[in-house]
Amino acid sequence: LSYSRHAGRFVTIWTFSLPWVLTPLCGFAVVPITAFLGWALYGIKELAIMIEQPFRLQSRRGGSGPSFSQLPLDDFCALIASDIDQFRMLHRHRLAGKMGGGDFS
């Protein structure tokens, strides 16, 4: 996404230029201040990317191949399939009771 790259570049330039602006005001305290602000801004950026596309295939940072997003989609799908099966069985039993028997699959 182009605007995501633009935002990342802007945050990088802003974070690297921050010490020159804050050094006259804060002295050596600029090191932890810059580290904290950089950590917070890059964390927000990563959260925004995950929220924006929660189901996409993401590459691992170690380079050992792709990994799926944080959402347990297999568990969600299995739960939905189980609920649908239970609903169908309940509906089938109710129809069989009203109609006097039979298989309505």
Side-chain angles (χ1 to χ4, degrees):
L1 303 169
S2 62
Y3 57 88
S4 178
R5 287 185 192 161
H6 177 70
R9 289 176 184 145
F10 175 77
V11 168
T12 301
I13 293 170
W14 187 83
T15 304
F16 283 130
S17 65
L18 188 62
W20 281 286
V21 175
L22 289 182
T23 300
L25 300 172
C26 301
F28 286 109
V30 76
V31 174
I33 291 171
T34 303
F36 175 76
L37 288 175
W39 171 77
L41 289 174
Y42 282 109
I44 291 170
K45 180 181 173 282
E46 287 295 319
L47 284 173
I49 290 171
M50 288 179 65
I51 289 171
E52 187 175 81
Q53 294 188 1
F55 302 114
R56 75 174 183 168
L57 187 63
Q58 299 173 350
S59 62
R60 292 185 185 173
R61 294 208 170 141
S64 60
S67 68
F68 290 99
S69 66
Q70 301 296 323
L71 295 176
L73 295 180
D74 292 334
D75 296 339
F76 291 158
C77 293
L79 181 63
I80 290 170
S82 172
D83 289 345
I84 289 172
D85 289 340
Q86 288 178 3
F87 177 76
R88 290 178 71 196
M89 286 178 39
L90 178 66
H91 187 65
R92 187 176 300 144
H93 290 301
R94 285 186 180 173
L95 277 179
K98 289 182 181 179
M99 299 281 205
D103 186 17
F104 301 101
S105 27

